[in-house]
Amino acid sequence: MSRLYNVAVAGATGAVGEELFRILEEQNFPVGELLPLASARSAGEMIEFKGKEYRVEELTEEVFEGRDIDIAFFSAGGSISAKYAKYAVESGAVVIDNTSHFRMDPEVPLVVPEVNPQDIASWRETGIIANPNCSTIQMVLALKPLYDLYGSIKRVDVSTYQATSGAGKSGMEELVRQMQDFFAFKLDQSEHKAFAHQVALNVIPQIDKALENDYTKEEMKMTNETAKIMGADIPVSATCVRVPVLRSHSEAVTVTFEESVVVDVEKSRAALNSFEDVEVMDNLAEGIYPMPVTATDTDITFVGRIRKDIFAENILHMWVVADQVRVGAATNAVRIAQKWIEMEEI
Ligand code: A2P
């Protein structure tokens, strides 16, 4: 990497924004100027990056003017991206957007760099590259090596166990507050704002809004985004569930291959383990499998419980766990930026 890049982060005070700064620092990303942006509520707050203090500014239509920003990460919510991403693009920046707003726009590439890095090349159409949904990212990281090994995938059935971090800082705070209220014998009076129901000591079989087909918007994101990223018509049927975990999503994934395929568990393990940023952790007899506490604070997608279906030779089951804030959001965004730089510098 030969030069420095000026970076803006919209949503700098949020769960994903804060993690982005950590990852940019860990990866020694070539940051020149840094512009942290948030709402008027946090304008004036200071954030630290590489030992230097930066003042948070309010995200406005004009804030990008004359700032010469090269890369603008957006993670402040879909409506904010809808309103402000265009001003960053007009000022000459590439926008790497963490929200669902642009993901299914046919002109906007939707990228998991280990799976479809080639799609980044079309970023010039709109100036925007979309970061997929967190549950989709970790699932396609586990599907891609199996797709390559067996030549195709006939369908995928997945149930998710999604952490409260998926609803941002307020989601995590709500779980902690409710647990405190439980120990103070007042959980019945505890407020819930981030989630529609009590999340502590409970599971909620709804993430995002209900759609007319009886699925939720989160479930349809997994269906639609998987096809776009994999560039293949893979039917995905999802059940997305919120669980009282702070951070890191888990998924029980069932993959059905063509009738002629006979699943080989050892070969499947080897293919998964040799895929970039994926690690197999799988020894049931010894109690070894990934869990949210295994994945939290790492950039790895862990796969365990890999097994052949009891009844059909062409079906494989697995358990996939990754840190939602990192792999599912901030790390993927930084990896996109790194690939974008590689392509731009050729
Ligand atoms: P703020 O802290 O000023 O509210 P999370 O996903 O953890 O809930 O974080 C959301 C992020 O999006 C925060 O940085 C938040 O800033 C930012 N944000 C929310 N609303 C706006 C807005 N209207 N304009 C700019 N940033 C916003």
Side-chain angles (χ1 to χ4, degrees):
M1 289 182 188
S2 53
R3 71 166 181 101
L4 298 181
Y5 291 81
N6 296 338
V7 171
V9 177
T13 52
V16 173
E18 285 181 355
E19 200 67 34
L20 257 168
F21 294 120
R22 228 165 279 147
I23 295 164
L24 291 170
E25 196 164 335
E26 282 170 20
Q27 301 270 324
N28 208 15
F29 195 90
V31 177
E33 297 297 323
L34 187 67
L35 177 60
L37 300 167
S39 78
R41 288 181 295 274
S42 12
E45 277 179 22
M46 302 303 283
I47 64 130
E48 206 191 296
F49 181 72
K50 286 194 172 172
K52 225 176 120 183
E53 297 260 300
Y54 293 84
R55 189 176 299 278
V56 175
E57 294 187 33
E58 184 183 354
L59 174 62
T60 60
E61 294 176 6
E62 300 80 27
V63 76
F64 299 102
E65 280 171 22
R67 304 301 276 269
D68 203 16
I69 297 296
D70 299 296
I71 303 169
F73 294 100
F74 271 71
S75 60
S79 60
I80 305 297
S81 292
K83 187 164 175 202
Y84 295 102
K86 59 175 178 278
Y87 300 105
V89 171
E90 275 167 20
S91 78
V94 58
V95 166
I96 300 177
D97 187 50
N98 263 309
T99 77
S100 62
H101 187 72
F102 298 105
R103 287 184 194 146
M104 293 316 294
D105 181 331
E107 293 196 318
V108 173
L110 180 67
V111 177
V112 177
E114 297 86 339
V115 176
N116 62 333
Q118 70 286 354
D119 290 356
I120 292 175
S122 64
W123 75 276
R124 279 182 201 282
E125 304 262 332
T126 59
I128 296 166
I129 303 169
N131 205 50
N133 166 266
C134 44
S135 305
T136 310
I137 293 176
Q138 67 183 73
M139 185 174 74
V140 296
L141 278 162
L143 290 181
K144 174 71 171 149
L146 297 175
Y147 184 93
D148 292 345
L149 178 65
Y150 295 107
S152 68
I153 288 175
K154 204 170 159 201
R155 73 170 278 148
V156 175
D157 293 275
V158 55
S159 290
T160 69
Y161 303 67
Q162 295 183 224
T164 53
S165 54
K169 269 189 190 169
S170 58
M172 291 188 269
E173 284 161 6
E174 194 154 301
L175 172 59
V176 171
R177 203 172 42 247
Q178 288 180 359
M179 287 308 296
Q180 286 167 338
D181 287 343
F182 170 74
F183 287 113
F185 302 101
K186 51 178 193 183
L187 182 56
D188 54 337
Q189 301 150 42
S190 199
E191 279 203 329
H192 49 83
K193 279 197 199 131
F195 306 109
H197 303 276
Q198 171 193 316
V199 70
L201 308 170
N202 197 16
V203 294
I204 307 171
Q206 175 177 4
I207 300 180
D208 213 331
K209 58 184 180 199
L211 301 177
E212 283 201 343
N213 65 356
D214 292 337
Y215 281 77
T216 64
K217 195 171 168 205
E218 181 84 352
E219 289 159 355
M220 291 313 297
K221 284 177 199 166
M222 293 190 79
T223 302
N224 298 328
E225 293 179 19
T226 300
K228 180 167 175 180
I229 298 161
M230 300 280 290
D233 240 340
I234 301 173
V236 174
S237 186
T239 304
C240 291
V241 181
R242 186 74 67 194
V243 294
V245 165
L246 272 181
R247 199 168 147 150
S248 295
H249 292 351
S250 307
E251 298 176 351
V253 186
T254 295
V255 191
T256 304
F257 301 98
E258 296 302 332
E259 299 292 335
S260 57
V261 168
V262 177
V263 163
D264 182 320
V265 170
E266 271 319 310
K267 279 190 185 151
S268 305
R269 279 201 187 108
L272 284 158
N273 212 26
S274 56
F275 197 71
E276 210 182 338
D277 301 319
V278 173
E279 199 176 304
V280 169
M281 206 181 185
D282 193 20
N283 187 337
L284 179 61
E286 305 271 332
I288 295 170
Y289 30 71
M291 294 174 284
V293 292
T294 321
T296 293
D297 273 327
T298 80
D299 291 324
I300 302 292
T301 294
F302 293 92
V303 189
R305 300 297 323 273
I306 301 163
R307 63 205 190 277
K308 205 174 185 170
D309 188 69
I310 302 170
F311 304 101
E313 297 212 300
N314 62 330
I315 296 178
L316 181 96
H317 303 280
M318 61 183 169
W319 175 249
V320 181
V321 187
D323 184 327
Q324 179 269 328
V325 187
R326 291 180 73 104
V327 174
T331 302
N332 198 68
V334 172
R335 284 175 180 153
I336 290 174
Q338 288 167 327
K339 282 269 180 246
W340 177 83
I341 288 176
E342 266 173 48
M343 288 180 181
E344 287 301 290
E345 289 191 350
I346 288 171

